[in-house]
Amino acid sequence: MQKQSIQYDSPLDALVAIAKRLSRYETEAGLSSEDFFDRFSQGSWGDDTQSVEWANDYRHYLALRAELGKILDAAA
């Protein structure tokens, strides 16, 4: 499996793209990303490729939200 790298112009662009992917995962599974990640982290969810990608996207989403929060706090 080849690793894919996508470049975004800003953290906000990256956040929007990841939020769209998370929404698709949530619709397919009928479960919020937060609930999925809790189950995944506890080992009560499979570790297939899509689950690992969902978990990684959710981690990235949380990191981007924190980064944007710091930027907004500094601007206020």
Side-chain angles (χ1 to χ4, degrees):
M1 184 164 112
Q2 187 175 2
K3 192 172 186 175
Q4 182 179 353
S5 178
I6 300 172
Q7 297 288 331
Y8 296 101
D9 294 331
S10 72
L12 183 57
D13 290 339
L15 185 71
V16 169
I18 291 171
K20 287 179 182 179
R21 285 198 305 269
L22 292 177
S23 179
R24 284 193 297 267
Y25 292 130
E26 291 169 351
T27 299
E28 287 178 18
L31 187 68
S32 73
S33 289
E34 183 177 5
D35 289 341
F36 155 77
F37 193 72
D38 287 342
R39 293 179 188 184
F40 182 83
S41 297
Q42 294 172 6
S44 61
W45 194 275
D47 61 352
D48 58 282
T49 302
Q50 184 173 347
S51 296
V52 171
E53 289 174 357
W54 188 1
N56 287 337
D57 279 345
Y58 187 65
R59 285 184 190 106
H60 193 191
Y61 171 81
L62 293 174
L64 285 168
R65 271 190 32 195
E67 179 182 346
L68 286 169
K70 288 178 186 177
I71 292 170
L72 290 172
D73 287 345

